Amino acid sequence: MKLLWVWVVLPFAFAQLVTAFFDFNETELSLIESLEYGVSKINYNPLMVGLTLIHTAGAKGAVCLDGTLPGYHWHRGYGSGANSWLIQLEGGGWCNNIRTCVYRKKTRRGSSTYMEKQIPFTGILSEKAEENPDFFNWNRVKLRYCDGASFTGDSENKGAQLQFRGQRIWLAAMEDLMSKGMRYANQALLSGCSAGGLAAILHCDEFRGLFPRTTRVKCLSDAGLFLDAVDVSGGHTIRSLYSGVVGLQGVQHNLPRICTNHLNPTSCFFPQNVINHIRTPLFILNAAYDSWQIQSSIAPPSADPHGYWHDCRLNHAKCSASQLRYLQGFRTQMLNAIKGFSMSRENGLFINSCFAHCQSERQDTWFADNSPEIRNKPIAVAVGDWYFDRTAVKVVDCPYPCDKTCHNLVFR
């Protein structure tokens, strides 16, 4: 599938910034998340940060799917940010059965052998004040994702030589970073995109528990609000996917007890059933028409055998009136899912009416001259205002097509 990323700031698209080819397997590696390392023209010379393997992880059994050591990329903070820490959990879908996990362990999402030795730090990870006004001089860490269950599994399959050790990787990484200075943090933010955004929700209170009460600790979930939605055929594609992940990888023991006490483990992998119980301040950043959820949960090919949704799935401009009504219903479901969450004055919200996925790590969507806005506030400013308590931030966009600042994703 050829991918074009279309930048929309006027009623018509006028800038094609990224063209690339990706293989798309909806249960394994999200095509959309592959954009993560696409560097836009806005940041043509980004900071490249090297991979650090966690050498103490092996003895703890905290290993990737194939048994290799997990790792992270760390750029040290300085000045006023020397004791501030941002942990960004990498995304990249899930694997829900032996076949997809065996495939995954031969990729960077399942083995550190295949991970890039250096990655660009852009958006919320940028070291430039003009690109990342509030977090540019913090210690910024990107924790690589190589377990396939949002850092929550703890099991193995000896026959297939698969290690499902996401929870152990999370713990080993936190222990390693605490020993390298994070224990002295006066402020910390756990964030993540997509599967990493889900992980940031599931691990938020655990992260808070690492620090003394005097430390300001908050969490940010970008594109992690995966809804327990019915697909276009009336089925439950994403619930089936999550059921496989939870069952295969032994996730149930590492989900918030306040949820599993009254709901089944698969339900507790859905953030809508968890967010109301999180005690730590949490910011939810999500596109109301999440591109990944449209392609892989609402209208996947498996639920659309006649291809009625094919064009709409790839390009919102090709959706019929009835398809747009269906997508508006999805937006309504998302807004209903966050009603209780938004009642808390400590939480933050930025739900923009874009066809997008992961907006905090891309420079063009995080903070640029024409990045997406709601009420004239770009995402970076909204998150910063909320984190530092400069002002309450709970902004929800008007429904599509009113927002002309979106950077919509279009696939061809």
Side-chain angles (χ1 to χ4, degrees), residues 3-110:
L3 171 91
L4 285 118
W5 166 45
V6 179
W7 192 358
V8 181
V9 289
L10 293 172
F12 54 93
F14 75 94
Q16 174 189 323
L17 294 187
V18 174
T19 305
F21 293 91
F22 299 105
D23 292 321
F24 180 34
N25 183 312
E26 68 197 40
T27 60
E28 295 156 4
L29 307 183
S30 164
L31 165 66
I32 298 158
E33 286 164 358
S34 299
L35 281 168
E36 182 183 322
Y37 297 133
V39 180
S40 76
K41 293 176 183 174
I42 292 163
N43 193 328
Y44 63 92
N45 189 24
L47 173 72
M48 300 299 290
V49 179
L51 176 66
T52 299
L53 295 179
I54 306 170
H55 291 287
T56 56
K60 301 179 174 87
V63 292
C64 298
L65 286 172
D66 70 338
T68 53
L69 293 175
Y72 56 74
H73 304 256
W74 172 29
H75 192 247
R76 286 179 187 270
Y78 64 91
S80 62
N83 285 320
S84 301
W85 288 75
L86 167 69
I87 309 299
Q88 178 83 357
L89 303 178
E90 185 180 32
W94 306 270
C95 63
N96 61 323
N97 55 40
I98 296 297
R99 182 185 63 81
T100 54
C101 291
V102 165
Y103 173 84
R104 189 181 177 101
K105 76 174 181 173
K106 296 294 186 188
T107 75
R108 64 186 169 103
R109 306 287 199 214

Side-chain angles (χ1 to χ4, degrees), residues 224-241:
L225 192 60
F226 297 96
L227 298 182
D228 190 4
V230 175
D231 64 41
V232 294
S233 72
H236 293 82
T237 295
I238 193 166
R239 174 164 278 272
S240 172
L241 170 66

Side-chain angles (χ1 to χ4, degrees), residues 308-325:
Y308 173 62
W309 278 82
H310 177 268
D311 292 349
C312 172
R313 181 166 61 239
L314 302 180
N315 183 353
H316 62 280
K318 295 183 178 177
C319 296
S320 67
S322 65
Q323 287 170 330
L324 284 173
R325 279 195 298 275

Side-chain angles (χ1 to χ4, degrees), residues 248-310:
L248 178 71
Q249 298 219 25
V251 168
Q252 62 273 16
H253 306 297
N254 299 313
L255 294 169
R257 290 281 155 79
I258 197 161
C259 181
T260 55
N261 283 345
H262 66 281
L263 291 177
N264 65 61
T266 299
S267 295
C268 295
F269 205 61
F270 281 101
Q272 68 199 69
N273 298 319
V274 176
I275 53 176
N276 292 354
H277 306 300
I278 291 171
R279 300 181 301 277
T280 309
L282 172 64
F283 192 103
I284 290 179
L285 162 62
N286 228 95
Y289 314 98
D290 186 295
S291 298
W292 189 93
Q293 294 190 65
I294 291 172
Q295 292 200 9
S296 301
S297 170
I298 302 169
S302 58
D304 181 38
H306 302 296
Y308 173 62
W309 278 82
H310 177 268

Side-chain angles (χ1 to χ4, degrees), residues 182-202:
M182 192 167 75
R183 66 183 181 275
Y184 303 119
N186 50 36
Q187 45 194 8
L189 175 62
L190 176 67
S191 68
C193 145
S194 194
L198 171 59
I201 292 171
L202 296 175

